Amino acid sequence: LSLVGSEMCIRDSVIIVNNSLQRYGGDMAIGAYGIINRLLVLYVMIVLGLTMGMQPIVGYNFGALKHERVKATLKLSILTGVCITSSGFIICELFPHAVSAVFTSDEHLIDMASHGVRICIAIFPFVGAQIVIGNFFQSIGMAKISIFLSLTRQLLYLLPGLIFFPRFLGLDGVWTSMPVSDFFAFVTAVIALWIYIKKVEKKYPSSVQS
């Protein structure tokens, strides 16, 4: 998989999401998703900025075989990432109408976005950890794993969810497919990280501290 290929896959997944929204909720649902997406991207971009600061630290210490420092940096980055996305979760759950009203004055659109965002962010605190772990693998030169983890949400989990859930829940099924895919993407990232840590501990038992 190349970076260009991954970008095309993400673009195609957005098209499929929009098609599902159009089918089950019409143009108003697409507008609501635009509001939700802007809200979530705000916090995701902050986490991405965090990972940009993490990468040179992890890369340097990884190259110097200072695995305890790599692990400490990763732990701190995951904790910070979770705090960032958790703040977004709390704000959107407590004040969905207020944050949606920032983007539009249409009451029907605000109500739809308010309802959708509360479903979409159900697993949002874990998204911060998933993003950090994915970028961690990029920091240590494991680009294929990083790209795979970045695509798990859009391809491996989101698309099947968009096929399954809307059949039973309608528009709510479209919203539900998003936190479900976030959860499984998080689990996949944790499993990949766990496997990597076990390999490092086996190879360098004296250099990795718990």
Side-chain angles (χ1 to χ4, degrees):
L1 288 173
S2 65
L3 289 176
V4 174
S6 64
E7 291 175 357
M8 291 178 63
C9 289
I10 293 173
R11 182 194 63 191
D12 292 342
S13 69
V14 171
I15 294 174
I16 295 173
V17 169
N18 285 337
N19 287 339
S20 298
L21 291 169
Q22 178 67 48
R23 179 179 179 182
Y24 293 99
D27 293 338
M28 194 66 72
I30 296 177
Y33 177 66
I35 293 174
I36 295 169
N37 191 52
R38 285 177 174 82
L39 288 171
L40 302 189
V41 164
L42 171 63
Y43 293 96
V44 169
M45 292 300 292
I46 298 174
V47 178
L48 289 176
L50 167 70
T51 62
M52 291 178 66
M54 172 196 74
Q55 287 180 349
I57 300 173
V58 169
Y60 172 82
N61 286 287
F62 178 78
L65 298 181
K66 297 180 179 180
H67 297 288
E68 72 284 354
R69 292 187 179 181
V70 172
K71 196 171 184 179
T73 303
L74 176 61
K75 283 183 177 180
L76 181 59
S77 298
I78 290 176
L79 177 60
T80 305
V82 169
C83 288
I84 292 170
T85 49
S86 293
S87 67
F89 169 80
I90 293 171
I91 291 173
C92 291
E93 283 289 353
L94 294 180
F95 311 105
H97 191 278
V99 295
S100 299
V102 172
F103 299 92
T104 180
S105 59
D106 187 310
E107 285 298 325
H108 181 52
L109 181 56
I110 291 173
D111 290 341
M112 183 175 287
S114 300
H115 176 72
V117 74
R118 299 188 75 174
I119 299 175
C120 290
I121 63 168
I123 309 296
F124 200 54
F126 298 111
V127 173
Q130 194 268 341
I131 294 173
V132 170
I133 294 172
N135 281 273
F136 167 76
F137 283 107
Q138 182 179 345
S139 303
I140 60 176
M142 303 178 72
K144 291 183 179 179
I145 295 179
S146 179
I147 294 174
F148 169 74
L149 292 178
S150 71
L151 292 178
T152 52
R153 180 187 186 275
Q154 284 82 8
L155 294 181
L156 194 59
Y157 303 126
L158 181 57
L159 296 186
L162 288 172
I163 296 173
F164 177 77
F165 290 111
R167 293 184 178 181
F168 302 95
L169 301 175
L171 180 58
D172 280 352
V174 180
W175 303 136
T176 301
S177 66
M178 298 178 189
V180 170
S181 63
D182 285 336
F183 173 75
F184 284 108
F186 165 74
V187 171
T188 302
V190 170
I191 293 173
L193 180 61
W194 181 80
I195 293 173
Y196 166 77
I197 291 175
K198 289 301 178 182
K199 288 182 178 179
V200 172
E201 289 178 343
K202 185 176 181 180
K203 189 173 182 179
Y204 305 103
S206 62
S207 64
V208 181
Q209 305 297 324
S210 59

